[in-house]
Amino acid sequence: MLAVVNGAVVKGTAVDLTSWNPRDARNSFAGTTVEAIVLEVPHGRDELRPGARTGVWCATKLATDAGGWRQINRAGNPMMWPIFWPDDTDFSDPASTRQPSEDVAAFGGTIADRVAKVVAATGTSADPAGYGRTVAGQLLPDVLPYVIGTPASFGFATRNGRTRADNAPEAMMSLVTNMAVPSGLTPATTEAQRTDQFPSRTGVSTRGRGTDCRPPSPFARPLASTHVTY
């Protein structure tokens, strides 16, 4: 399904889901071990008062020989790379190294044009150019919006943070194509892997890299770092 959608977006052709049957959907991440960085941010700062609007994004950076850090990838809204830059598997696209403040000027027109072409070819908008600009305006700058103290949800009604039960790929592909793109997966698919506790984790392994919680040696220098900005 993703290949059909991102192929149409990149080529500007109609989205043809006739070969996709949602009843055949399977969770491709089932049984996968995922390493995650979990942050608990207190509300002590005035900037994080209830009702404050935030935009969250993170950047992955590699250590350089000169002693600094070089950004190689980033993430804000889910599915941006799989939909708009599916061939950027080595993160060589300039979008990987930009700051969100540069997004609108750098590729706002590109996003709007790609969305306009795919909805025009699919026939899902009477004003493809206008719809393309609207989508670009919602997705850029590429940060995940969240209003402090409100229920998180990334779906059709709103994009306000994201919970582990949200079907973000379905919401994003439907937004970009202006049509229903049913994945066939529901929150019940991963119900056993979710918990109300923080951090949300189940079946945590005590083996392997990333599970050692001891303070690092002051002489050790990481090869990669992930920075989160809000």
Side-chain angles (χ1 to χ4, degrees):
M1 181 180 66
L2 174 59
V4 172
V5 173
N6 63 26
V9 170
V10 171
K11 298 175 183 177
T13 57
V15 178
D16 183 4
L17 296 176
T18 55
S19 62
W20 169 247
N21 187 347
R23 290 177 295 183
D24 296 331
R26 298 292 183 272
N27 180 12
S28 59
F29 291 97
T32 301
T33 299
V34 178
E35 295 182 2
I37 297 174
V38 182
L39 301 178
E40 184 174 20
V41 182
H43 289 181
R45 296 177 62 93
D46 184 61
E47 297 95 326
L48 298 178
R49 67 189 183 282
R53 295 182 177 274
T54 64
V56 182
W57 67 288
C58 63
T60 301
K61 301 182 179 182
L62 291 179
T64 66
D65 293 337
W69 296 93
R70 177 173 63 89
Q71 180 175 313
I72 61 168
N73 187 226
R74 64 184 172 115
N77 286 302
M79 300 298 294
M80 290 293 285
W81 258 253
I83 293 177
F84 294 107
W85 299 281
D87 297 326
D88 186 35
T89 55
D90 59 352
F91 304 120
S92 60
D93 191 282
S96 297
T97 58
R98 291 192 181 105
Q99 303 289 302
S101 59
E102 304 172 281
D103 286 347
V104 174
F107 53 85
T110 299
I111 297 294
D113 183 61
R114 289 189 176 183
V115 172
K117 287 181 178 178
V118 74
V119 298
T122 310
T124 53
S125 175
D127 180 12
Y131 185 76
R133 290 192 297 270
T134 298
V135 172
Q138 291 190 22
L139 297 180
L140 301 177
D142 185 14
V143 296
L144 183 64
Y146 177 66
V147 177
I148 302 295
T150 63
S153 176
F154 196 100
F156 299 105
T158 184
R159 288 179 297 282
N160 182 52
R162 179 181 177 183
T163 73
R164 296 183 68 201
D166 292 339
N167 195 329
E170 188 174 88
M172 281 289 288
M173 288 187 285
S174 298
L175 171 67
V176 170
T177 60
N178 201 26
M179 60 182 284
V181 182
S183 68
L185 301 177
T186 67
T189 304
T190 58
E191 185 175 6
Q193 284 75 51
R194 297 195 303 274
T195 174
D196 292 333
Q197 298 177 347
F198 183 88
S200 301
R201 58 180 185 176
T202 57
V204 177
S205 171
T206 58
R207 299 176 300 168
R209 185 180 61 184
T211 59
D212 189 349
C213 297
R214 295 172 298 176
S217 164
F219 304 105
R221 182 160 177 261
L223 296 179
S225 174
T226 299
H227 299 247
V228 180
T229 305
Y230 61 84

